[in-house]
Structures are given as structure tokens and as C-alpha cells.
Amino acid sequence: MQTYDFIIVGSGSAGSVLAERLSASGRFSVLVLEAGGTDRRFYVQMPLGYGKTFFDPAVNWNYKAESDPGLAGNVDHWPRGKLLGGSSSINAMVWIRGAREDFDAWAAAGNPGWSYADLLPAFKALEDNEAGADEWRGVGGPLHVSDCTDKVHPLTRRYIAACEQAGLPFNRDFNGAAQEGAGTYQITTRNGRRMSAARAFLRPAMKRANVRVETEAMATRILFEGSRAVGIEYQQKGQSRTARAGREIILAGGSINSPQLLQLSGVGPAALLGDLGIPLVHANENVGAHLQDHVGINYTFKGRLPTLNQILRPWWGKLLVGMQYILLRSGP
Ligand SMILES: Cc1cc2nc3c(=O)[nH]c(=O)nc-3n(C[C@H](O)[C@H](O)[C@H](O)COP(=O)(O)OP(=O)(O)OC[C@H]3O[C@@H](n4cnc5c(N)ncnc54)[C@H](O)[C@@H]3O)c2cc1C
């Protein structure tokens, strides 16, 4: 069994940043276990590929929620990335920080260092914002953020104008002084390619000798000695393997998989684990509870101006947009 200073389960948004930060000094060895495979795929790198990866089981856990009475019994599709970069490799690339009020509430609940003012220097340091630096935005960081104000579909401008007529304030920068209002998103792309957390953080870290990334490696259990987590058991190519951590094991498998792995390892609600025959290591009712979803609603209208739907439906439309992308790295 090999020993590393840190073992990170999951190479998504959180795992990629942690792998980069923890390995930067060169003093610590880091193992990253990723259940999915490579992010070097055309539809992952091309921003418009979002529509393909949204349901693609090769890169997506494709979870289904249970039938929800609050949604008239509907069953929701819950995509989650299953590849290097995790959900940041299949997400919609919208660059919006969390709400100031949420961070401030965390700090007020007794977590020093987590207020918006505390975090602002980190937000600024991590980005390379095409819109330039100011009191709120940063340049020169590892994550490139594109400004697409001038590149949006003509209907977007009409939509924003309509929002203003309806009394919503125009917002030039959702990552600026206030988040409320209507405006154009900043997106995480660079030169027409997706700027995932893997591209910004993990891939540079993978060039270091002290970082090892195992793909197709599904963590199945945290190994405990008494109440101390000391290793990870994982499945790779049909084989069960183990790795040991001298310092820490970090679960970065996302909001669904991390609590699941804790429960499989005996950390969770005692009654639930008892029913499932999982030996209890540490009882905690909160593991696997309190998930908050954000529900989105699509409004669908028929328009007189051609939208992406009309442009992309015929084969020649796809071909034209594909050629524009390959030759000019531009287009929808
Ligand atoms: C379709 C979609 C659109 C989105 N759009 C946006 C957007 O526009 N803007 C925005 O800010 N956010 C968006 N999000 C949300 C954002 O991408 C996520 O909040 C963020 O990526 C979550 O980061 P994470 O590190 O918690 O998990 P993830 O990035 O999901 O990473 C978890 C990783 O852990 C791996 N893993 C899980 N379990 C195991 C295991 N047992 N063993 C080994 N590996 C494991 C997974 O395969 C995955 O790679 C979107 C998400 C999705 C799915």
C-alpha cells in the first residue's frame, strides 16, 4: 500500500484547486482519485458541447431525483460531472460568486475568515478577468474569465432592455458591487475553450512530481483506525486497491457523492446505517441531509428572429457553426 501526505477523493472544482494548492510548495505528496476519465474530449473543451455532455454517461453521473410532490411528481435530471474537472468540465461556465449575504451569514454563525470581505482577496486572486481589474475583479490569476457582453445573441439585448422596462435594475457586473438585476454573464472560457478547474488548476499541478492522479478510480470506503481516517479503498480496472494518507484525506466528491462515501464508510445517521448493515464508525444525523437544490425554469417562446435552435437544427447549420468554431474559435 502506498502512502501519500494527502489523498483527495474527486478531481472536480474543489479537488482541482486543493491538488494545486497542497502540492505547490513541493513538500507534500498528493494523490487524487477520480472515478471518471480524461477531460481531453472535444465536447468538453468546446463550450457549446454543454448540450451533449448534459446527458452523456461517459462524463456524467446522470442522477435522477425521486419523484417530487413539490414539482407535481416530476423526476428531475441531476447532471454531475464524472471526469477530470468534475462538474466544472460539464457546467454552463457562468461565473458568479456566491451571495455576499450567504458568506456573511457563515461568518456570523461563528466561522471567522468566511465573510465576503474576508474572501474578496481570494476571489480576486484566483481570476484573470477579461473585463479588467477593479475594486471587485482581479487579473493575472489562474482562472480566465471572459466578458461576452459584445458577443451575445441580439435577442439578449432586447431581453435585458425589457427587464429594465419592467423595473429590474441593469447590472453591468454580477461580481461587482451588487448581484441583483439583469445583465450578461461572465463566463469561464479562454480562446474559445472551456476554462474548467482542471484546466486552470489540476493540469498545471499534474506536471509536478509530487502529484499523482488516478482516473477510473472509484473510492468505495474510507479506512479507519479507531476514529482516525487513515486510508482509502478504491476500485480501479476491476481491482480493489488501497492508499494510505499520512496527513489528511479530503473528500471532494461533490455534494451527492461525498456524503454517500461517508455513509458507506460508517459515518452518518445511526439508524440508516444499521438498516443497511454498515458498521457504525461515527453517528451523525446531518450526513446526507439538508441538500438544497436550485430549481430553474425554462420559458419557451416562438420567435421571429432565428435563435440557436433554428441555427443548429439542420445538419448544414451544425456544420457551419462547427466550421466557424474550428477555424475562428468563435460563434455560439
Ligand atoms: C450541468 C451543470 C451546469 C452547471 N452550471 C454552472 C454554472 O454555469 N456556473 C456555476 O458556478 N456552477 C454551475 N454548476 C455547478 C458547479 O459546476 C458545481 O457546483 C461545482 O463544479 C461542484 O464542485 P465540487 O468540487 O463540489 O464537485 P464536482 O466538480 O462535481 O467534482 C466531484 C468529482 O468527484 C468525483 N467523484 C465523486 N465520487 C467519487 C468517488 N467515490 N471516487 C472518486 N471520485 C469521485 C466525480 O467524478 C467528480 O469528478 C453546474 C453544474 C452542472 C452539473
Side-chain angles (χ1 to χ4, degrees):
M1 192 192 326
Q2 247 190 304
T3 301
Y4 298 83
D5 289 311
F6 294 97
I7 300 177
I8 301 172
V9 177
S11 71
S13 299
S16 291
V17 176
L18 287 162
E20 196 284 323
R21 291 284 76 205
L22 289 169
S23 63
S25 73
R27 280 168 47 218
F28 306 117
S29 57
V30 176
L31 171 68
V32 181
L33 298 173
E34 170 52 52
T38 181
D39 59 340
R40 295 226 158 112
R41 291 168 167 266
F42 181 70
Y43 286 117
V44 169
Q45 300 295 327
M46 179 183 74
L48 199 59
Y50 172 75
K52 286 259 185 208
T53 56
F54 200 77
F55 295 103
D56 182 356
V59 294
N60 191 328
W61 293 88
N62 273 342
Y63 288 126
K64 291 276 167 279
E66 283 169 23
S67 161
D68 186 341
L71 298 173
N74 277 293
V75 170
D76 249 0
H77 171 62
W78 280 10
R80 307 295 300 168
K82 187 183 184 182
L83 72 166
L84 292 182
S87 298
S88 82
S89 289
I90 66 162
N91 72 12
M93 293 155 284
V94 174
W95 184 242
I96 296 204
R97 296 172 187 162
R100 169 189 290 274
E101 294 80 359
D102 287 344
F103 296 118
D104 290 346
W106 291 359
N111 302 290
W114 283 98
S115 75
Y116 187 78
D118 290 328
L119 293 176
L120 186 58
F123 283 139
K124 287 169 76 173
L126 86 87
E127 68 181 21
D128 184 27
N129 202 313
E130 201 174 272
D134 63 15
E135 194 184 342
W136 313 102
R137 292 183 303 230
V139 293
L143 191 105
H144 192 268
V145 179
S146 297
D147 179 6
C148 37
T149 321
D150 298 332
K151 302 182 191 98
V152 293
H153 190 278
L155 280 175
T156 304
R157 290 195 191 93
R158 299 227 191 138
Y159 179 80
I160 293 171
C163 288
E164 283 189 87
Q165 282 172 13
L168 284 168
F170 172 69
N171 193 334
R172 194 182 60 84
D173 184 359
F174 293 115
N175 297 315
Q179 279 193 326
E180 199 174 334
T184 310
Y185 295 137
Q186 296 156 18
I187 58 169
T188 43
T189 61
R190 182 173 199 180
N191 297 334
R193 263 180 64 211
R194 172 186 291 275
M195 193 78 201
S196 66
R199 187 176 171 200
F201 300 98
L202 186 66
R203 292 258 169 215
M206 283 165 79
K207 297 198 176 110
R208 298 178 185 145
N210 56 333
V211 175
R212 186 171 177 86
V213 176
E214 294 285 344
T215 52
E216 319 283 347
M218 170 84 179
T220 45
R221 201 156 58 96
I222 307 161
L223 304 173
F224 285 93
E225 278 172 11
S227 62
R228 185 177 163 79
V230 294
I232 290 282
E233 181 185 84
Y234 63 100
Q235 291 285 324
Q236 195 179 34
K237 296 188 183 119
Q239 284 194 7
S240 183
R241 299 172 195 264
T242 49
R244 217 180 145 87
R247 287 173 183 267
E248 285 182 29
I249 292 163
I250 299 166
L251 301 191
S255 49
I256 296 169
N257 288 42
S258 285
Q260 184 218 17
L261 183 57
L262 281 169
Q263 290 184 356
L264 290 173
S265 311
V267 179
L272 176 75
L273 300 190
D275 287 349
L276 294 169
I278 299 172
L280 189 69
V281 174
H282 180 79
N284 190 321
E285 294 301 308
N286 297 306
V287 175
H290 314 305
L291 181 77
Q292 291 189 20
D293 192 15
H294 65 146
V295 178
I297 302 172
N298 293 343
Y299 291 94
T300 309
F301 297 95
K302 231 178 199 164
R304 281 194 293 273
L305 276 182
T307 66
L308 274 188
N309 294 323
Q310 279 95 33
I311 295 166
L312 289 172
R313 198 164 293 135
W315 65 265
W316 46 266
K318 291 187 190 78
L319 182 71
L320 275 179
V321 167
M323 295 298 286
Q324 184 187 8
Y325 178 72
I326 285 166
L327 296 174
L328 305 170
R329 279 283 180 270
S330 71

